[in-house]
């Protein structure tokens, strides 16, 4: 059995490409130096895959920023405003990715969006009416040649035309129907060029096929590929899908003249059933995505071999063993982890270990005596129990959760009345989302504390001084509900992970999130519980510094789960409930200590929303929303629960958000033209709301008038009794000066608005 990899990480084992790019952005290195690092990374990835014995290795999976942007540039989909800057090719590319501000002009970056159900973000290509779609780029061909010269015959990989057309933004009057035939012609040129070069396989990535598809989508897909495949010559075409199953198009797909079809058997819940029910053509190769490209746990060989057996029983003749998606979504290698003992590490497979797994499974599947081999037995042993991963008390607590635990009483309307009396806040109360600028001194102190240069006592004194100053600042500015500033945390998930048992932390498990930004998700190793109070000391101290209400600040269970590597031996629902109980304990502790406004952030609630709308509730929201409610349901009616969400893209799940049953929700609205307000009105949203009145992602200081105008628009859609005034997210990445200036204007705008009611 042969093996294939859809794509490999590219940011560098030690984030070399990230650092080289950032240096280049700052003007501290030359284009040549950047290109040399890029080449080194490409060579490295080819080398490890080749040495591991992978048969079909991708090229063009490398990117300086993002593969979707690369595909846009390949086909000359470069908006005029970037061309007009007159920059070099690479600088034009970076201008599209990051915006450009300099002597040649001032343009914003293209939009960036979440890549399907991952935490990776792609650049949204933009086609204008006069865009001349044309195969003008060389990157794909150059990288194929470069690999050949290193002795590796690769399959060039790129986004296929259907997904490309679907994800592109059409900024003019001409739409997808106009551009589809034009783009199709260019893909035909591409495949002919590959044929002339003697390329053996090409991989078209079409993840959009795992979403809900209607008849028009299917017709578009079929018409594109009928034409492209008619020109393929001797090139074999692999149609690669991932992140789900292709239930709406399977039967059309297998009729087309593809040589290989790549299907995801990890996240594709129906993939096996599609194959067993409908069969798989004997003249095509199935690229079976059986090694998880998104999670870091070792593959269970017994399970995988049994799945392979079922595929063979279903009549699949030719199978290439593959990853379920690109390995871009996992870190490089467990070999870089020096602090975790092998007892733990042996359970993990990052990208390089997954290569070994592919080879192991392929040879086991060819071996009649597989179960007798050491490779098989050692793998089996990993799944026969893990040390310290189970906690019976936690399990019992989860199984004892009653239906009533998911409901807070009294109902919202009554609580709202009680809370209006308790807090006696003015109309349009002002607040912030939690964090204040994480200035150099804060980062330094944390580092010194970690290194042992500061004692715990000294560190605590430092943080408390910061909190005291922060409270004083907010009082001066005149905010109504204060925060402690979140100086004690580096990251809203890592901080809680570190204080919960059941979590593991890595040193080098970086995964690209977008461009040069990487994240290092913690690993949920076992049953999760709270060891001791986490935030109480800080919140109580903050409260003691003021007579005004001070919010306690927590991260919600769904966000903690979504930004971690989850377990595979229990469901994510079960893990989330465990985390929910732990955070519930913290909520009750805060309340007991006199904190009567508590914010539970669910910034990443949307992250694991299924790609198919039909699965939204049954697969996800039906347990994710109750998990949030479980956290908050134990508090007294007069305790006010706030929540915060980052992306405004929840217009379509407004009823679910209302069902979280928080008392107040703040969210990002300033960048989305307030569309969400209509949706709130239409859905009769009951929760009080603070749609962000300015964008904290930019250092710009909004004027009082600007904020006042934004509030006036909000008042048209929301009752005055429900409207809060706040920035759109935490302020930790901002500077102190602009933060103060912006908040002064914010308070002034709210006061101006109050005059209208006087
Ligand atoms: N409370 C967090 C903060 O203010 C929320 C961060 C977020 O939404 N990403 O930083
Ligand atoms: Zn936010």
């Amino acid at each position: 059995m042969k093996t294939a990899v859809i794509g490999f990480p590219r940011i560098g084992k030690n984030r070399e490409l990230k650092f080289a790019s950032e240096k280049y952005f700052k003007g501290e290195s030359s284009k040549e130096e950047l290109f040399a690092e890029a080449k080194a990374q490409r060579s490295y990835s080819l080398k490890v895959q080749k040495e591991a014995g992978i048969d079909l290795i991708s090229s063009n999976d490398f990117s300086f920023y993002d593969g979707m942007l690369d595909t846009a540039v390949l086909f000359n989909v470069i908006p005029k405003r970037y061309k007009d800057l007159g920059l070099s090719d690479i600088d034009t590319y970076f201008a599209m990715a990051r915006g450009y501000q300099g002597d040649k002009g001032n343009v914003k970056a293209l939009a960036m969006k979440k890549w399907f159900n991952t935490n990776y973000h792609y650049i949204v290509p933009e086609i204008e009416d006069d865009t001349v779609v044309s195969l003008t780029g060389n990157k794909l061909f150059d990288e194929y040649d470069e690999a050949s010269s290193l002795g590796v015959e690769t399959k060039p990989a790129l986004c296929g035309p259907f997904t490309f057309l679907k994800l592109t933004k059409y900024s003019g009057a001409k739409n997808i129907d106009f551009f589809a035939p034009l783009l199709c012609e260019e893909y035909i040129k591409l495949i002919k060029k590959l044929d002339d070069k003697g390329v053996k396989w090409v991989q078209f990535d079409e993840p959009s096929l795992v979403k809900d598809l209607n008849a028009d989508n299917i017709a578009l897909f079929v018409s594109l590929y009928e034409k492209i495949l008619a020109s393929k010559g001797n090139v074999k075409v692999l149609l690669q899908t991932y992140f789900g199953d292709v239930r709406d198009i399977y039967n059309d797909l297998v009729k087309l003249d593809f040589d290989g079809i790549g299907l995801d058997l990890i996240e594709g819940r129906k993939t096996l059933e599609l194959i067993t029910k409908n069969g798989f053509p004997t003249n095509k190769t199935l690229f079976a995505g059986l090694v998880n490209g998104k999670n870091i746990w070792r593959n269970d060989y017994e399970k995988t071999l049994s799945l392979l057996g079922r595929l063979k029983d279903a009549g699949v003749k030719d199978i290439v063993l593959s990853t379920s998606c690109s390995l871009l979504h996992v870190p490089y290698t467990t070999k870089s982890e020096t602090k975790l003992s092998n007892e733990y590490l042996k359970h993990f497979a990052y990208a390089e270990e997954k290569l070994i797994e592919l080879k192991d499974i392929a040879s086991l599947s060819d071996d009649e005596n597989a179960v007798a081999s050491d490779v098989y037995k050692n793998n089996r042993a990993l799944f026969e129990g893990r040390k310290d991963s189970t906690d019976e008390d936690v399990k019992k607590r989860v199984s004892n959760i009653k239906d009533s635990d998911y409901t807070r009483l009294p109902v919202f309307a009554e609580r709202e009345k009680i809370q209006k009396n308790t807090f006696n806040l003015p109309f349009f109360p002002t607040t912030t989302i939690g964090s204040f600028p994480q200035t150099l001194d804060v980062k330094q102190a944390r580092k010194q504390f970690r290194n042992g240069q500061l004692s715990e006592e000294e560190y605590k004194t430092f943080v408390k001084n910061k909190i005291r100053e922060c409270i004083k600042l907010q009082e001066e500015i005149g905010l109504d509900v204060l925060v402690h500033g979140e100086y004690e945390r580096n990251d809203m998930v890592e901080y809680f992970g570190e204080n919960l048992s059941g979590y593991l932390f890595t040193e080098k498990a970086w995964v690209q999130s977008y461009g040069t930004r990487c994240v290092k998700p913690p690993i949920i190793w076992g049953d999760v519980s709270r060891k001791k109070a986490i935030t109480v000391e800080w919140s109580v101290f903050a409260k003691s510094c003021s007579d005004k209400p001070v919010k306690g600040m927590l991260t919600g269970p769904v966000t903690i789960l979504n930004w971690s590597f989850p377990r595979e031996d229990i469901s994510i629902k079960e893990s989330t409930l465990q985390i929910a109980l732990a955070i519930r304990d913290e909520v009750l502790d805060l309340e007991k200590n006199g904190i009567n406004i508590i914010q539970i952030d669910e910034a990443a609630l949307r992250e694991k929303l299924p790609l198919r709308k039909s699965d939204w509730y049954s697969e996800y929201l039906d347990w994710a929303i109750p998990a949030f409610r479980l956290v908050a349901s134990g508090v007294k009616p007069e305790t006010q629960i706030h929540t915060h969400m980052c992306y405004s893209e929840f217009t379509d799940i407004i009823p679910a958000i209302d069902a979280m049953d928080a008392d107040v929700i703040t969210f990002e609205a300033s960048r989305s033209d307030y569309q969400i307000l209509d949706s709130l009105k239409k859905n009769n949203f009951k929760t009080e709301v603070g749609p962000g009145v300015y964008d904290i992602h930019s250092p710009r200081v909004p004027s009082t008038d600007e904020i006042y105008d934004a509030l006036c628009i909000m008042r048209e859609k929301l009752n005055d009794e429900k409207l809060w005034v706040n920035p759109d997210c935490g302020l930790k990445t901002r500077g102190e000066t602009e933060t103060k200036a912006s908040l002064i204007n914010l308070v002034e705008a709210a006061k101006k608005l109050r005059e209208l009611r006087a």
Side-chain angles (χ1 to χ4, degrees):
M1 184 173 290
K2 288 197 167 155
T3 52
V5 169
I6 297 177
F8 203 75
R10 57 214 181 191
I11 202 77
K13 218 183 199 168
N14 294 304
R15 292 179 293 160
E16 291 86 347
L17 184 66
K18 168 195 169 74
F19 298 119
S21 305
E22 288 172 350
K23 218 166 147 193
Y24 178 73
F25 297 157
K26 285 192 220 137
E28 288 168 7
S29 68
S30 67
K31 189 167 96 178
E32 288 67 33
E33 286 169 281
L34 175 62
F35 285 5
E37 186 55 59
K39 185 170 180 189
Q41 289 308 324
R42 289 191 296 266
S43 314
Y44 178 79
S45 113
L46 289 173
K47 185 170 151 264
V48 285
Q49 292 180 83
K50 176 93 188 168
E51 281 175 5
I54 303 300
D55 300 294
L56 284 144
I57 299 170
S58 289
S59 54
N60 198 44
D61 53 346
F62 171 82
S63 181
F64 278 107
Y65 208 92
D66 165 54
M68 192 53 104
L69 179 59
D70 295 339
T71 310
V73 171
L74 176 67
F75 293 111
N76 194 38
V77 177
I78 305 171
K80 186 166 175 298
R81 58 187 184 278
Y82 300 105
K83 290 201 163 169
D84 286 350
L85 294 169
L87 302 168
S88 68
D89 287 353
I90 187 74
D91 288 345
T92 307
Y93 174 90
F94 283 134
M96 293 165 79
R98 316 174 56 240
Y100 176 89
Q101 208 165 11
D103 47 5
K104 304 252 169 74
N106 188 348
V107 281
K108 282 206 278 185
L110 288 171
M112 190 165 73
K113 277 200 180 153
K114 244 168 72 68
W115 179 240
F116 296 84
N117 52 2
T118 69
N119 189 19
Y120 176 76
H121 300 73
Y122 70 98
I123 299 289
V124 182
E126 186 180 315
I127 295 191
E128 299 169 308
D129 280 353
D130 50 8
T131 297
V132 181
V133 178
S134 162
L135 179 66
T136 51
N138 299 318
K139 175 180 178 291
L140 177 128
F141 307 104
D142 291 349
E143 289 180 13
Y144 170 81
D145 290 341
E146 182 185 274
S148 303
S149 74
L150 293 168
V152 188
E153 168 65 28
T154 54
K155 58 174 161 62
L158 74 158
C159 179
F162 179 75
T163 298
F164 186 81
L165 288 163
K166 281 282 165 201
L167 299 185
T168 289
K169 171 179 165 191
Y170 302 86
S171 62
K174 297 177 183 165
N175 60 14
I176 186 166
D177 299 331
F178 179 86
F179 283 103
L182 300 177
L183 184 70
C184 185
E185 285 307 312
E186 301 310 304
Y187 271 86
I188 291 172
K189 283 184 200 155
L190 174 115
I191 209 162
K192 285 187 173 154
K193 194 163 166 185
L194 293 175
D195 191 25
D196 289 346
K197 277 180 159 306
V199 170
K200 297 202 172 71
W201 278 97
V202 62
Q203 170 184 316
F204 290 119
D205 287 5
E206 292 284 12
S208 282
L209 295 187
V210 310
K211 293 187 151 191
D212 291 323
L213 301 175
N214 60 25
D216 287 348
N217 298 146
I218 296 171
L220 172 64
F221 181 88
V222 170
S223 81
L224 288 165
Y225 277 99
E226 268 175 355
K227 295 193 194 88
I228 295 168
L229 293 168
S231 306
K232 69 179 178 164
N234 291 317
V235 185
K236 290 189 178 178
V237 177
L238 164 59
L239 191 279
Q240 183 64 55
T241 67
Y242 37 81
F243 305 143
D245 62 65
V246 296
R247 65 186 84 152
D248 295 334
I249 200 170
Y250 182 81
N251 284 313
D252 303 271
L253 211 55
V254 291
K255 276 188 218 128
L256 288 162
D257 194 17
F258 293 116
D259 302 274
I261 298 182
L263 301 177
D264 180 347
L265 284 134
I266 302 281
E267 277 191 281
R269 269 192 302 125
K270 299 220 165 170
T271 303
L272 182 65
E273 184 188 323
L274 286 167
I275 296 172
T276 48
K277 277 210 179 127
N278 304 293
F280 189 84
T282 47
N283 61 346
K284 293 192 198 314
T285 307
L286 173 68
F287 285 67
L290 279 161
V291 169
N292 195 332
K294 267 191 181 170
N295 210 346
I296 41 78
W297 295 91
R298 286 291 311 270
N299 187 285
D300 182 340
Y301 291 175
E302 179 183 339
K303 228 163 138 183
T304 303
L305 289 170
S306 122
L307 268 164
L308 280 170
R310 292 178 68 182
L311 292 171
K312 289 180 195 159
D313 293 345
V316 186
K317 287 277 166 295
D318 190 23
I319 301 178
V320 169
L321 186 69
S322 183
T323 52
S324 66
C325 61
S326 168
L327 296 176
L328 175 68
H329 310 292
V330 289
Y332 274 78
T333 172
T334 58
K335 287 197 219 86
S336 305
E337 303 293 347
T338 58
K339 294 202 179 122
L340 282 173
S341 77
N342 191 47
E343 275 304 296
Y344 292 107
L345 281 179
K346 69 181 185 197
H347 291 276
F348 304 135
Y350 299 176
E352 292 180 22
E353 290 73 34
K354 286 179 194 284
L355 303 176
I356 302 170
E357 294 191 328
L358 284 167
K359 287 305 287 182
D360 278 355
I361 301 165
S363 53
L364 288 173
S365 105
D366 292 337
D367 175 0
E368 281 180 10
N369 269 324
V371 294
S373 70
D374 283 348
V375 171
Y376 183 85
K377 285 190 204 148
N378 290 340
N379 181 270
R380 225 30 338 265
L382 293 175
F383 295 88
E384 274 153 13
R386 282 190 281 124
K387 87 168 195 201
D388 63 21
S389 68
T390 337
D391 181 332
E392 288 309 328
D393 293 340
V394 174
K395 289 214 166 346
K396 212 179 284 154
R397 234 188 125 186
V398 170
S399 65
N400 285 341
I401 300 172
K402 299 185 294 298
D403 280 349
S404 57
D405 295 333
Y406 293 110
T407 311
R408 186 175 171 201
L409 288 173
V411 295
F412 176 84
E414 273 174 57
R415 293 190 323 253
E416 195 179 26
K417 271 186 240 148
I418 298 171
Q419 289 168 18
K420 293 267 181 222
N421 279 328
T422 313
F423 297 106
N424 204 12
L425 292 168
F427 271 95
F428 320 114
T430 53
T431 190
T432 62
I433 308 303
S435 58
F436 265 68
Q438 291 248 337
T439 40
L440 208 60
D441 57 331
V442 179
K443 289 184 194 157
Q444 244 159 18
R446 192 178 304 129
K447 205 165 160 193
Q448 286 173 334
F449 174 48
R450 290 208 162 155
N451 294 342
Q453 286 165 278
L454 274 187
S455 70
E456 185 170 348
E457 181 108 358
E458 288 166 320
Y459 176 68
K460 282 192 172 174
T461 310
F462 171 85
V463 173
K464 285 185 178 166
N465 283 334
K466 292 300 288 188
I467 292 176
R468 193 183 295 109
E469 283 167 32
C470 183
I471 296 281
K472 193 161 149 255
L473 174 72
Q474 294 172 80
E475 285 185 332
E476 269 168 35
I477 294 172
L479 288 154
D480 300 307
V481 174
L482 314 188
V483 296
H484 74 288
E486 299 184 20
Y487 298 106
E488 77 289 359
R489 36 192 110 156
N490 41 352
D491 173 277
M492 64 190 287
V493 168
E494 198 175 31
Y495 175 73
F496 285 92
E498 278 169 358
N499 287 288
L500 293 170
S501 53
Y503 262 93
L504 284 186
F505 294 87
T506 63
E507 282 165 275
K508 292 285 171 63
W510 295 101
V511 178
Q512 191 176 18
S513 170
Y514 64 86
T516 59
R517 188 168 158 77
C518 299
V519 292
K520 193 156 63 69
I523 299 171
I524 304 178
W525 168 261
D527 294 332
V528 176
S529 63
R530 193 184 69 144
K531 294 176 231 170
K532 55 179 182 348
I534 303 171
T535 62
V536 175
E537 184 178 352
W538 306 122
S539 284
V540 167
F541 176 76
K543 195 175 154 62
S544 75
C545 299
S546 179
D547 294 332
K548 288 198 170 178
V550 180
K551 281 194 271 193
M553 204 56 66
L554 307 173
T555 302
V558 184
T559 296
I560 293 184
L561 180 107
N562 284 352
W563 282 342
S564 308
F565 283 117
R567 286 166 74 173
E568 291 184 342
D569 57 334
I570 65 172
S571 66
I572 53 171
K573 172 182 169 182
E574 172 109 11
S575 274
T576 309
L577 290 177
Q578 294 179 355
I579 301 168
L581 288 172
I583 303 296
R584 179 187 166 97
D585 293 345
E586 183 74 10
V587 166
L588 294 174
D589 246 355
L590 283 170
E591 185 183 58
K592 205 163 67 198
N593 283 281
I595 307 298
N596 51 7
I597 303 188
I598 300 166
Q599 179 171 314
I600 306 159
D601 289 331
E602 282 292 13
L605 184 89
R606 230 195 126 96
E607 201 106 324
K608 285 203 165 60
L609 194 67
L611 296 170
R612 290 175 190 276
K613 261 196 171 151
S614 44
D615 293 341
W616 277 5
Y617 280 86
S618 58
E619 296 284 311
Y620 183 65
L621 293 171
D622 281 349
W623 59 261
I625 301 296
F628 178 87
R629 288 205 304 257
L630 178 62
V631 177
S633 66
V635 298
K636 294 183 242 160
E638 49 271 44
T639 296
Q640 191 167 65
I641 299 291
H642 288 218
T643 186
H644 166 74
M645 288 179 56
C646 272
Y647 307 99
S648 50
E649 278 184 41
F650 53 80
T651 317
D652 41 8
I653 51 167
I654 294 290
I657 306 292
D658 221 11
M660 289 164 83
D661 202 25
D663 298 308
V664 181
I665 175 166
T666 58
F667 56 80
E668 179 205 296
S670 54
R671 283 192 298 180
S672 58
D673 305 324
Y674 305 108
Q675 297 157 359
I676 195 162
L677 299 175
D678 293 317
S679 186
L680 294 177
K681 192 178 160 82
K682 203 176 87 204
N683 285 285
N684 234 329
F685 201 66
K686 71 174 191 330
T687 317
E688 297 188 7
V689 272
V693 294
Y694 76 88
D695 176 10
I696 61 89
H697 304 87
S698 139
R700 219 179 129 255
V701 175
S703 69
T704 305
D705 285 348
E706 192 181 321
I707 299 177
Y708 180 80
D709 291 346
L711 287 166
C712 288
I713 299 177
M714 293 173 189
R715 279 186 81 204
E716 287 169 20
K717 313 276 172 175
L718 298 166
N719 286 340
D720 285 359
E721 285 76 15
K722 301 260 182 209
L723 184 57
W724 285 66
V725 180
N726 45 263
D728 71 352
C729 195
L731 299 162
K732 77 170 170 217
T733 55
R734 292 273 58 88
E736 286 180 306
T737 324
E738 76 235 22
T739 295
K740 185 170 175 188
S742 302
L743 292 176
I744 287 176
N745 293 349
L746 178 145
V747 168
E748 199 172 297
K751 286 189 176 155
K752 219 171 123 188
L753 207 59
R754 281 171 204 156
E755 282 167 21
L756 290 181
R757 295 205 46 107

